[in-house]
Amino acid sequence: MGRIEFVTGVLERLDVQGWPNKSDTGWSGYDVEVLGSRWAHLQLTTVAEEYPKGKKMIRCRLRAAWSLQPGRCSGRRWAWSCW
């Protein structure tokens, strides 16, 4: 299994389980982004290494981050404002 097949499998499983996601368009620093909620998201980055005798290794990096940009936020009644 190659890196592309691995990422395709991840995307298929996310779709089956109903996780909103988007794949890389070719210029992002990640392969898959999982939009867990309006507060946080997860990015998956992969790289493949080939070894002698046809062996392969796929390395994965998961990066969790807040969806909102850091800043000062204040809540007033039902509305939030960030600046």
Side-chain angles (χ1 to χ4, degrees):
M1 173 186 294
R3 185 180 74 83
I4 300 301
E5 292 85 7
F6 177 78
V7 172
T8 301
V10 169
L11 287 169
E12 289 172 356
R13 289 182 182 147
L14 289 170
D15 288 339
V16 166
Q17 294 183 11
W19 285 94
N21 62 75
K22 64 179 183 177
S23 59
D24 174 33
T25 58
W27 298 101
S28 302
Y30 57 85
D31 296 316
V32 176
E33 184 171 33
V34 182
L35 310 168
S37 71
R38 67 180 186 174
W39 302 107
H41 62 272
L42 179 76
Q43 294 176 340
L44 169 68
T45 306
T46 60
V47 64
E49 297 179 41
E50 295 192 21
Y51 291 97
K53 300 182 183 177
K55 295 185 178 183
K56 297 179 184 179
M57 179 184 294
I58 299 174
R59 295 182 186 263
C60 300
R61 177 177 60 197
L62 294 173
R63 182 174 165 242
W66 295 108
S67 296
L68 295 174
Q69 294 296 324
R72 298 179 358 187
C73 297
S74 65
R76 294 192 180 115
R77 293 193 185 190
W78 298 282
W80 283 88
S81 60
C82 297
W83 62 91

